[in-house]
Amino acid sequence: MKRALITGITGQDGSYLAELLLEKGYEVYGIWRRKATVDYGNIEHLKDKVHLIYADMTDAVSLIAAMKISQADEVYNLAAQSFVKTSWDTPIGTADIDALGVTNMLEAIKIVKPEARFYQASTSEMFGKVQAIPQNEETPFYPRSPYGVAKLYGHWITKNYRESYDMFACSGILFNHESERRGLEFVTRKITHAAVMISLGLQDHLELGNLDAKRDWGHSKDYVRAMWLMLQADKPDDYVIATNETRTVREFADTAFRHVGIELKWEGEGVDEKGIDVKTGKVLVSVNPEFFRPAEVELLLGDPAKAEKKLGWKREIDFNELVKRMVENDLKIVKEENGL
């Protein structure tokens, strides 16, 4: 039985990865931080099937202990301060976790079990101000946020440990991937939740930032499968994981609202001060400049050809199905919360 250690196990990707590894017969260990109240996050349904270890990415000693306890054959580093907007408010904290935390984990592996295979969660935000369209493994990086900069350090330190210590260390440059388990602070979940609330008469208006920002959106369940495939390969390497399709935030909103039977009306199309078209009852989504980033990332579009060829990876959940699943899950949650 293989052993796997997942940092960030209670998050979106961590929970889907834990499910995948359990299905494949792994013994799964997860790192979580001690809090005042116990919070299993997205692994509430798995808490009796996985082994949880208290540790912190900024505490190297705790990570060494986690490696000793788990004796992991595979380590998946998914822990991060993963919200781009927050990285502007807490740039040093973001760097401690997303950059130096990767080094701490690599050192723990090198000290305890250097033959273990390591996966680093890199991100399309490292491309930032894109230098080529689409972006692949050879595209130069140009991060536009403290989050992107910190993740770029994590990406390069992983490559350095691979080349310097002959470690099996891979980075997955994952483009935007969402799911029913996405946090409400992310724009995609903010949209699907608002669509449901508005359709049920519990909210009348949604404010967003840059409606024209373009992203390459896939489903987390497909992307964690790519993580696992990287660590099953004969040689360690870095891979872009994406759909090779791009959609605007506006398109995401249009799709989400259509799933609850609402055709959106946009600002300037004859709506009242609350954002509702008086004649049709249709909803306005307006722009709030406060939601714009200090430095915008306008377009992300990934080319997954290398992963498809070398790993045999292929996404299975398309854009419309992704949005549909998120909306249907939010509909279930909101109805339960409001006794509907």
Side-chain angles (χ1 to χ4, degrees):
M1 182 183 288
K2 280 187 178 180
R3 293 171 171 239
L5 176 64
I6 304 172
T7 73
I9 192 171
T10 61
Q12 169 187 260
D13 291 1
S15 62
Y16 280 117
L17 179 61
E19 287 176 350
L20 176 68
L21 296 178
L22 287 169
E23 288 171 7
K24 294 184 177 297
Y26 281 65
E27 188 168 358
V28 177
Y29 292 78
I31 284 177
W32 65 338
R33 288 180 296 168
R34 189 176 295 278
K35 297 181 180 179
T37 56
V38 175
D39 181 10
Y40 292 102
N42 288 304
I43 60 163
E44 178 72 36
H45 64 300
L46 301 176
K47 63 184 180 183
D48 297 324
K49 298 179 181 179
V50 301
H51 309 281
L52 295 173
I53 303 169
Y54 284 116
D56 193 290
M57 296 304 294
T58 63
D59 186 340
V61 173
S62 70
L63 297 180
I64 291 171
M67 278 301 298
K68 288 180 177 177
I69 292 168
S70 66
Q71 288 297 310
D73 302 297
E74 298 173 5
V75 178
Y76 296 85
N77 183 37
L78 310 185
Q81 190 300 99
S82 58
F83 194 34
V84 176
K85 184 177 184 298
T86 299
S87 76
W88 291 103
D89 301 323
T90 60
I92 295 173
T94 299
D96 284 342
I97 299 167
D98 297 6
L100 297 180
V102 185
T103 311
N104 288 335
M105 192 72 250
L106 286 164
E107 275 294 304
I109 294 169
K110 183 165 70 76
I111 291 167
V112 178
K113 195 172 181 179
E115 69 274 20
R117 298 189 169 199
F118 176 74
Y119 170 84
Q120 165 60 15
S122 289
T123 170
S124 58
E125 288 287 334
M126 300 188 308
F127 293 119
K129 188 176 181 180
V130 298
Q131 305 299 294
I133 302 173
Q135 296 91 55
N136 60 29
E137 294 80 4
E138 305 304 318
T139 304
F141 298 117
Y142 197 136
R144 298 265 283 172
S145 67
Y147 170 75
V149 172
K151 278 291 191 175
L152 187 54
Y153 175 97
H155 179 81
W156 278 109
I157 201 67
T158 298
K159 187 186 291 282
N160 271 253
Y161 270 65
R162 177 170 74 219
E163 296 175 352
S164 301
Y165 302 114
D166 197 29
M167 293 174 68
F168 196 107
C170 303
S171 284
I173 307 172
L174 272 55
F175 279 63
N176 294 68
H177 50 289
E178 316 297 328
S179 77
E180 306 88 303
R181 299 175 187 175
R182 184 53 113 179
L184 282 168
E185 69 271 24
F186 289 86
V187 67
T188 50
R189 181 78 193 290
K190 178 181 178 180
I191 290 170
T192 59
H193 186 264
V196 167
M197 293 286 284
I198 290 168
S199 73
L200 296 174
L202 300 172
Q203 182 176 327
D204 59 14
H205 188 216
L206 171 63
E207 293 184 346
L208 295 171
N210 185 0
L211 295 174
D212 298 316
K214 296 179 179 179
R215 294 293 183 269
D216 184 324
W217 275 301
H219 195 289
S220 174
K221 203 166 187 178
D222 283 336
Y223 286 41
V224 300
R225 185 162 37 84
M227 299 174 189
W228 177 77
L229 285 169
M230 287 181 213
L231 297 198
Q232 313 315 306
D234 293 333
K235 296 180 180 179
D237 206 346
D238 305 325
Y239 296 89
V240 162
I241 304 300
T243 71
N244 202 26
E245 295 177 1
T246 188
R247 315 274 179 158
T248 63
V249 173
R250 190 190 304 268
E251 287 177 275
F252 195 104
D254 276 330
T255 304
F257 276 83
R258 275 200 301 272
H259 279 298
V260 293
I262 297 173
E263 289 294 327
L264 282 180
K265 299 261 310 181
W266 298 95
E267 194 166 16
E269 295 180 352
V271 298
D272 69 15
E273 71 280 359
K274 291 184 178 180
I276 301 176
D277 186 315
V278 178
K279 293 182 180 179
T280 66
K282 293 179 181 178
V283 180
L284 166 71
V285 175
S286 63
V287 174
N288 185 338
E290 290 184 8
F291 296 142
F292 279 70
R293 299 178 183 179
E296 280 291 324
V297 174
E298 298 292 344
L299 168 64
L300 292 174
L301 175 63
D303 178 5
K306 179 180 174 181
E308 291 176 349
K309 180 180 179 181
K310 293 194 172 184
L311 301 177
W313 178 81
K314 202 83 172 178
R315 69 136 173 191
E316 297 175 356
I317 301 170
D318 65 19
F319 176 77
N320 190 64
E321 177 65 18
L322 160 67
V323 180
K324 179 184 176 183
R325 290 187 183 193
M326 292 179 69
V327 169
E328 289 179 347
N329 189 66
D330 273 327
L331 189 60
K332 179 182 176 183
I333 291 171
V334 171
K335 283 185 173 181
E336 287 178 355
E337 289 177 346
N338 291 275
L340 300 175

